[in-house]
Amino acid sequence: MARLDPTQAVKGAWDLFRCSHPEPVLAVTAASAVLGLAAGRGASTWLLVAAIFTGQLFVGWTNDYIDRDADRAAGRADKPLAAGQVSEVWLHWAAVVAATLCIPLSLANGFAAGTLHLLAVLAAFLYNGGLKKTPISVFPYLFSFGSLPAIVTLGLHPGHLPPWWVSLGAGLLGSGAHFTQVMPDIEQERGRIHGLPQLMGLRGSIVAAALLLAGSALAVLLGPGKPGELQLVALAITLVTVVVMVAAGLRGNHRLSFRLTLVAAAGVALILLLNSRALR
């Protein structure tokens, strides 16, 4: 009987995780943890984090599974499935397991919060399944990210909806991330895929991302009223990050541009957290 090589097992697990798009998975999961603690969810935050994490894994894995033929045709060596480092069977069943875990973990946060999270995951799955090829490609991001604050607060006891400006800021942030996340593929997909970033082109998408991220920061800053000094400092840092993101995108460094989007998202989260009662 062949012995399992621990090194190969670890590499296989890492390659499988890479198929999930780890940066957004970890960023969204970490954001949910921070928001949960800030809202006063305490120990129950782990249920929120587990639900968000499994949902993000499902979305990422189904994205790579659905795109496998296109990725192979494009020679995407950076994608483990397209590069032959992960089998289709393993990825298929990993997505099934993630979805199976996501459902009870979501509902464990409460019926309203759990149902909303499952709808957000469904919207992301529909994006993977075809909406990303249409002019309304941004709407799944707007809905799913805009839902996150409500998923957090509806899981409180008693549950409640967050202020409208928090949901607006989160939705704008997710919409901006849509444009930077697809940046590396925009030029080669134009004419073949009719998603909003492809229709707007690279420069248009960079401008759209910048405006949406700046709008997100301003919504969270100005929504509750007069901002504090520390919030203004966080805003300045966020806006500088957005400017650098634009410069990176225009220079063709699209991966850096997306990573700077995550930094800008952290800035928006900081502005929100400096208003300690925003989600309570």
Side-chain angles (χ1 to χ4, degrees):
M1 183 176 181
R3 294 179 62 185
L4 179 65
D5 184 344
T7 302
Q8 288 297 107
V10 170
K11 184 181 184 304
W14 170 242
D15 286 338
L16 183 62
F17 183 52
R18 284 174 56 211
C19 291
S20 71
H21 304 247
E23 289 175 338
V25 166
L26 294 176
V28 175
T29 303
S32 70
V34 171
L35 293 177
L37 292 172
R41 288 196 50 157
S44 73
T45 301
W46 79 267
L47 283 172
L48 171 68
V49 169
I52 298 294
F53 182 63
T54 52
Q56 288 295 300
L57 287 177
F58 170 73
V59 171
W61 280 332
T62 53
N63 180 281
D64 267 23
Y65 186 83
I66 291 170
D67 288 350
R68 63 193 184 280
D69 292 333
D71 288 339
R72 285 172 184 148
R76 292 293 299 270
D78 59 315
K79 292 198 169 187
L81 182 61
Q85 297 166 325
V86 172
S87 75
E88 290 186 15
V89 173
W90 275 102
L91 188 58
H92 172 267
W93 283 108
V96 169
V97 170
T100 302
L101 292 173
C102 182
I103 294 171
L105 285 170
S106 296
L107 295 175
N109 286 273
F111 181 78
T115 300
L116 183 57
H117 179 240
L118 293 175
L119 288 174
V121 172
L122 175 62
F125 177 72
L126 292 176
Y127 170 86
N128 290 339
L131 287 181
K132 65 182 178 182
K133 299 179 181 179
T134 72
I136 62 170
S137 61
V138 72
F139 283 100
Y141 279 80
L142 179 65
F143 174 75
S144 295
F145 279 81
S147 299
L148 182 56
I151 294 168
V152 173
T153 59
L154 286 172
L156 294 168
H157 299 287
H160 63 84
L161 291 173
W164 65 268
W165 47 268
V166 177
S167 297
L168 174 63
L172 293 176
L173 180 61
S175 300
H178 170 48
F179 287 94
T180 57
Q181 190 168 21
V182 302
M183 234 178 247
D185 304 320
I186 287 177
E187 292 305 317
Q188 67 184 41
E189 291 177 343
R190 291 197 78 182
R192 181 168 56 88
I193 290 178
H194 304 290
L196 190 56
Q198 289 82 7
L199 293 174
M200 295 181 65
L202 185 57
R203 289 183 176 271
S205 293
I206 292 171
V207 171
L211 292 176
L212 288 165
L213 292 172
S216 171
L218 290 172
V220 173
L221 179 81
L222 300 176
K226 185 178 179 181
E229 291 183 3
L230 289 178
Q231 288 179 304
L232 291 172
V233 171
L235 173 68
I237 294 172
T238 303
L239 294 180
V240 168
T241 302
V242 171
V243 170
V244 178
M245 179 213 77
V246 170
L250 293 175
R251 288 177 176 271
N253 198 336
H254 302 140
R255 295 199 180 282
L256 175 60
S257 189
F258 176 66
R259 286 167 180 160
L260 288 169
T261 301
L262 301 180
V263 176
V268 173
L270 179 59
I271 296 170
L272 175 65
L273 293 175
L274 288 170
N275 180 4
S276 60
R277 299 187 61 81
L279 295 175
R280 292 179 180 268

